[in-house]
Amino acid sequence: SSPEKISAPTLFDVPNPPRVVVDIPQKGTQYKTSKKLTEQNFVKSVRIGSHPNHLRIVVDQPDKNKLSKNLSS
């Protein structure tokens, strides 16, 4: 049998509250939901959670669109 092809990760920003979301396609992800608090220039906190078909990483921003503007550069 041939290996299953997995899609590329999806990256998008959400304006209110400001955050960047990364969805990494995976089947049967078994990652325990977690949250890491930090007060850095571009990151307020990072949340990771499992969904049926993907792993989601959410990067909360302390300042509106500061991180997403830098990702666009």
Side-chain angles (χ1 to χ4, degrees), residues 10-43:
T10 304
L11 177 103
F12 59 96
D13 65 321
V14 180
N16 194 13
R19 59 196 181 274
V20 173
V21 179
V22 180
D23 285 339
I24 302 171
Q26 292 183 343
K27 292 232 176 186
T29 302
Q30 297 295 321
Y31 188 87
K32 187 175 182 180
T33 300
S34 68
K35 182 173 184 174
K36 171 72 176 155
L37 298 176
T38 180
E39 285 296 332
Q40 302 298 320
N41 286 336
F42 301 114
V43 178

Side-chain angles (χ1 to χ4, degrees), residues 34-59:
S34 68
K35 182 173 184 174
K36 171 72 176 155
L37 298 176
T38 180
E39 285 296 332
Q40 302 298 320
N41 286 336
F42 301 114
V43 178
K44 182 177 179 181
S45 66
V46 176
R47 296 177 279 142
I48 302 171
S50 293
H51 296 269
N53 294 318
H54 64 276
L55 180 69
R56 175 165 282 180
I57 302 169
V58 179
V59 181

